[in-house]
Amino acid sequence: MSDNDELLKILEAQGKQFLQSFSLPPSISESKSSKSAVESDSGEDEEWGGVGQSSGSDSDSEDDEEDTGTDFEQEDDDFVAGSSTATPVVVFSHGTQSTEKTQVDKALMRSFMSSKVSKLRSDPASTSKKRPAEEEDEDEKSNIQNDAMLHKLVHTKLLSGSLDPSLNLTGAERRKALAGRVLELTGSAKMGKGEHIVRSDEHRRASKRVREGLGEKKRERHEQQLEEAKNLGNYHPALKKLFEPPSSGPSRKREHGMKMGVGKFKNGSLHLTRDDIEKVQGRPTSRGGRGGRGGRGGGSSRGRRS
Amino acid sequence: MATPTTLVHFSGHEHFRNRLVLSILSGRHVKIDKIRTDDKNPGLRDFEVSLLRLLEKVTNGTIIEISVTGTAILLKPGIIAGGPITHECPLSRSIGYFMEPIIMLAPFAKKAVNLTLKGITTDEHDLSADLLRTVTLPHLQLFGISDGLELRIKKRGAAPNGGGEVQFLCPIVKQVKTLNFVDPGKIKRIRGIAHAVRVNPQFSNRMIEASRSILNRYIPDIYLYSDVYKGEESGKSPGYALTLLAESTTTALHCAEAISEPGVLPEDIALKATRALLTELDKGGCADRKHQCLVLLMMVLGSEDVGRCRMGEPTAKTIQFLRDIKDFFATSFKIVPAEPSDPECKQLLYSCYGTGYVNANRTLA
């Protein structure tokens, strides 16, 4: 053990000698020489001796324990950056360009490497420098203004059905009203029909009993309405369409007149499309397709039987 | 002065492209014979035949007759049709060889040219795609052709295997503007493109470093860009190149480039390109030597007014081109020293009376 200690001491001395051949800043040399105490401290008193002395006294006691591990580690001597060093420190920071300059450089490169010849010699500096500053300010102002206006409209006019407190809507009703309004705004639904579509979708998704029940109720309601109208004297046979339940979508117009075998007869002449002619004449290519399908269909059934 | 309609006769394979272009523009038949008669492989080369095919695609109604041995051709030009064209260039010359005559013809087509060329994009014999895009096409802007003029480099392809693709879009004009460019100005900025395909991408950075070591002392505004293409778009062969161009205060352009050679360091290639650029700048003028022919042709095709341009001494190619212009268009240039008082200045002032060439092919829609 004592041999080890001696060897370590020799090593330390050698290291210190080597380090003293360089002019290290006082902090590093102080901590490295903190173990031998006074001589080095007194030598650097003029420059800075505060932390070194205090840390020297503290770390001496810890030295024996940490000797083996801390030869090459720098002990934390509580040195705070910026506290009195007499040597002025000048920092040359290369590679830090302001963002504006890098933007201009990038714009220059893009204009030079573009394939369009008209953009090759366009000066990006003159065009782009003024624009971003001004445009950004304008954009910000208008964005904030737009946000406020949107908020106001949304909560007063556009979605009033859902947010009007006087209606006392439940949560589900409010949700459906909002969904309906959104459909109307996007254009998927005609004005006023948005909520109706949302509710009818939900009805379609319900179970058979619920659906039948709802339909029953709807018919009852319509009957009631018709009776009410008749009682009040609002009814007239000409207004029959108004009082019957809503029909199932647009019904196709029934064809008037007597049909020919093929084609349409209009304006005194018979109009034949290519399909009509081929229906009568017979198509050579599709005949093969029909034959193939028939043959294959027969083959599969044959296979299954066997 | 009406241009005569007889046949023009040339001999030899030199200045082949310029003569074909002049024939198509003037509409006069041209006969070129004695093409490499004493050579081991006599007659037209594959790239010349490919060029004739490309001209057939670009024009409509052109009749090209090639003799049995290939040593003589007769070209009866039609109209320049334009439109969408695709052409596969042989691997013996780069696309710059094919693009130069097309650039001279494209503004006078019936429809806007949309040409796709496939082959080698960068070569030491001809202008590379970068030079074409950054220098040659801006020269067309001097004459009023700028809106819709594009050269897109879709893929790069180095020699010998190529694999590159470029797309050229050119609008049509009714008439070319008269040029009056007599002030070369002083150099205000230098730009460059260093690209490397299928090699270590650090090569382009090394070239940029080496080039900057010389150029930094002259002007502050120097930007050299590293163009990286990867994967499919980098072609089939490895290679790298540096293209430099200098722009003056009066928008005159000078350019130089150097392509990789086997066994040569990228730093040496960069130094070669930089010194070539400085030589070009020393010669001076409003257009550099590679583009003298283009500028002079556009001056001849301008409106019936005196066009002037100040350039350096003409190369041998330019001199023969001026003689051929005299044969086809019966126009000659007046060349005087630009500064008669200064004996050191080698620059010349070229002036000519334009022929008033109007693009009669264009669709008047």
Side-chain angles (χ1 to χ4, degrees):
Chain A
M1 274 300 289
S2 59
D3 285 331
N4 257 350
D5 285 345
E6 273 181 32
L7 287 172
L8 278 170
K9 281 202 188 112
I10 295 168
L11 188 61
E12 271 171 49
Q14 201 182 20
K16 227 191 317 147
Q17 219 177 30
F18 178 67
L19 283 175
Q20 273 169 2
S21 66
F22 302 110
S23 52
L24 287 172
S27 57
I28 300 173
S29 53
E30 277 297 320
S31 65
K32 287 266 193 276
S33 62
S34 62
K35 290 157 195 169
S36 66
V38 190
E39 297 146 10
S40 47
D41 284 352
S42 58
E44 278 143 351
D45 246 345
E46 310 157 334
E47 298 183 349
W48 166 68
V51 177
Q53 284 176 351
S54 58
S55 71
S57 55
D58 283 340
S59 56
D60 267 343
S61 53
E62 300 165 356
D63 266 349
D64 299 321
E65 297 165 19
E66 305 177 295
D67 229 351
T68 50
T70 56
D71 272 356
F72 297 104
E73 280 174 22
Q74 190 174 354
E75 292 163 21
D76 184 14
D77 50 3
D78 298 321
F79 174 62
V80 179
S83 66
S84 57
T85 41
T87 51
V89 178
V90 183
V91 176
F92 292 95
S93 62
H94 66 100
T96 51
Q97 271 183 328
S98 62
T99 48
E100 203 189 284
K101 193 160 184 294
T102 45
Q103 268 177 3
V104 169
D105 285 345
K106 274 200 178 165
L108 271 175
M109 187 178 102
R110 257 182 274 125
S111 83
F112 180 68
M113 298 295 268
S114 79
S115 56
K116 291 202 203 332
V117 178
S118 48
K119 291 211 179 123
L120 261 183
R121 286 190 272 184
S122 66
D123 209 5
S126 59
T127 47
S128 66
K129 233 185 237 174
K130 278 183 235 157
R131 256 204 272 129
E134 285 174 351
E135 273 191 24
E136 267 180 41
D137 287 336
E138 285 174 26
D139 275 358
E140 269 196 51
K141 252 187 280 163
S142 66
N143 278 346
I144 293 171
Q145 279 174 344
N146 285 344
D147 282 346
M149 202 165 69
L150 184 65
H151 189 87
K152 196 167 55 147
L153 278 175
V154 157
H155 290 290
T156 57
K157 290 195 190 145
L158 295 177
L159 298 176
S160 62
S162 51
L163 288 175
D164 199 345
S166 63
L167 287 176
N168 289 335
L169 296 166
T170 65
E173 282 181 1
R174 256 185 286 130
R175 244 179 283 127
K176 283 180 205 167
L178 179 59
R181 266 312 283 172
V182 167
L183 281 178
E184 283 171 34
L185 288 173
T186 58
S188 323
K190 293 197 182 147
M191 285 302 288
K193 301 271 195 285
E195 199 182 331
H196 179 84
I197 286 179
V198 170
R199 284 183 188 265
S200 57
D201 274 333
E202 223 190 282
H203 294 170
R204 253 179 267 128
R205 267 182 267 133
S207 59
K208 181 183 171 201
R209 283 177 154 197
V210 173
R211 257 185 289 132
E212 304 288 20
L214 286 168
E216 186 71 50
K217 203 58 190 270
K218 207 158 88 159
R219 260 173 273 127
E220 255 188 54
R221 243 185 295 125
H222 276 292
E223 270 186 45
Q224 284 278 334
Q225 261 196 339
L226 188 59
E227 266 209 53
E228 279 284 316
K230 283 187 183 165
N231 287 345
L232 289 172
N234 288 336
Y235 181 73
H236 187 80
L239 298 173
K240 224 199 298 185
K241 289 273 158 62
L242 207 63
F243 290 105
E244 66 182 31
S247 56
S248 59
S251 47
R252 292 274 156 81
K253 221 176 71 169
R254 188 182 60 84
E255 212 180 289
H256 295 172
M258 297 202 336
K259 270 201 334 185
M260 289 280 170
V262 276
K264 260 198 267 195
F265 194 86
K266 257 195 167 167
N267 273 343
S269 55
L270 180 68
H271 295 274
L272 295 169
T273 64
R274 207 191 303 146
D275 289 352
D276 291 337
I277 297 169
E278 280 171 356
K279 222 190 290 180
V280 175
Q281 274 186 344
R283 293 156 278 187
T285 48
S286 56
R287 230 188 276 134
R290 257 184 279 130
R293 248 185 286 135
R296 259 184 270 124
S300 73
S301 62
R302 251 183 267 125
R304 230 180 276 137
R305 249 185 267 131
S306 64
Chain B
M1 180 171 23
T3 51
T5 50
T6 51
L7 179 120
V8 187
H9 179 228
F10 293 113
S11 302
H13 65 276
E14 285 124 18
H15 318 286
F16 189 64
R17 296 176 289 165
N18 287 339
R19 287 168 178 166
L20 294 177
V21 163
L22 287 172
S23 157
I24 295 175
L25 284 173
S26 65
R28 292 176 66 181
H29 304 340
V30 67
K31 177 173 170 181
I32 306 178
D33 61 4
K34 300 200 185 66
I35 298 174
R36 296 192 186 91
T37 40
D38 297 333
D39 202 276
K40 213 170 17 165
N41 305 321
L44 291 169
R45 289 279 149 82
D46 61 338
F47 51 88
E48 285 162 350
V49 175
S50 180
L51 176 67
L52 289 170
R53 276 200 220 289
L54 176 62
L55 289 175
E56 262 184 325
K57 284 185 201 173
V58 174
T59 58
N60 183 13
T62 313
I63 300 172
I64 303 177
E65 292 168 15
I66 309 180
S67 75
V68 174
T69 52
T71 52
I73 70 158
L74 173 67
L75 174 78
K76 296 181 189 164
I79 63 158
I80 310 170
I85 309 158
T86 312
H87 187 74
E88 294 250 359
C89 303
L91 297 176
S92 35
R93 294 300 282 261
S94 73
I95 52 143
Y97 177 84
F98 299 90
M99 277 293 292
E100 279 186 49
I102 300 295
I103 288 177
M104 292 181 188
L105 295 174
F108 307 105
K110 189 174 163 84
K111 289 192 293 189
V113 167
N114 181 355
L115 172 68
T116 305
L117 287 176
K118 297 185 188 161
I120 298 176
T121 53
T122 312
D123 203 355
E124 64 260 18
H125 300 295
D126 304 293
L127 303 175
S128 71
D130 290 314
L131 262 188
L132 288 171
R133 179 175 66 86
T134 49
V135 185
T136 314
L137 296 184
H139 278 108
L140 285 182
Q141 280 188 319
L142 289 171
F143 299 97
I145 308 158
S146 71
D147 191 30
L149 188 62
E150 272 188 58
L151 182 71
R152 295 181 197 149
I153 305 178
K154 300 256 173 83
K155 300 183 196 172
R156 285 196 186 267
N161 290 335
E165 185 179 326
V166 302
Q167 189 184 13
F168 174 54
L169 293 127
C170 183
I172 50 174
V173 290
K174 180 174 166 190
Q175 196 172 34
V176 160
K177 283 201 300 201
T178 316
L179 182 70
N180 191 9
F181 203 168
V182 293
D183 185 18
K186 293 200 183 286
I187 304 296
K188 74 170 175 184
R189 67 165 109 147
I190 296 180
R191 296 277 180 269
I193 304 173
H195 73 86
V197 287
R198 297 210 176 267
V199 289
N200 188 355
Q202 285 301 316
F203 280 17
S204 56
N205 287 345
R206 284 163 68 178
M207 284 200 288
I208 291 173
E209 289 282 321
S211 176
R212 268 191 175 274
S213 69
I214 299 184
L215 292 173
N216 267 345
R217 55 199 291 242
Y218 293 108
I219 50 172
D221 190 359
I222 301 175
Y223 280 99
L224 301 175
Y225 299 108
S226 164
D227 198 12
V228 180
Y229 278 75
K230 290 205 165 124
E232 261 298 308
E233 296 171 2
S234 58
K236 298 180 189 158
S237 298
Y240 51 91
L242 178 64
T243 309
L244 292 168
L245 64 126
E247 190 182 332
S248 80
T249 49
T250 53
T251 72
L253 287 166
H254 295 263
C255 64
E257 77 172 339
I259 323 288
S260 60
E261 288 153 37
V264 182
L265 288 172
E267 284 84 359
D268 293 336
I269 301 291
L271 292 179
K272 188 170 150 194
T274 318
R275 289 182 187 134
L277 179 71
L278 293 173
T279 315
E280 276 294 334
L281 290 173
D282 180 48
K283 297 234 159 52
C286 303
D288 65 341
R289 291 184 297 168
K290 295 190 180 112
H291 299 101
Q292 280 177 350
C293 289
L294 177 66
V295 171
L296 292 171
L297 176 67
M298 291 296 163
M299 279 165 72
V300 166
L301 299 175
S303 57
E304 293 199 7
D305 195 4
V306 177
R308 274 191 297 244
C309 185
R310 173 170 158 158
M311 293 194 280
E313 282 182 347
T315 57
K317 194 171 153 195
T318 313
I319 294 170
Q320 186 58 43
F321 189 60
L322 290 171
R323 290 182 188 142
D324 295 340
I325 285 179
K326 185 146 184 219
D327 281 337
F328 276 99
F329 289 105
T331 314
S332 54
F333 276 73
K334 180 173 144 186
I335 305 176
V336 291
E339 271 166 55
S341 50
D342 183 11
E344 289 283 313
C345 178
K346 294 274 177 62
Q347 294 179 18
L348 305 167
L349 188 68
Y350 297 71
S351 50
C352 77
Y353 203 76
T355 53
Y357 182 82
V358 171
N359 182 6
N361 301 324
R362 79 189 198 289
T363 43
L364 299 152

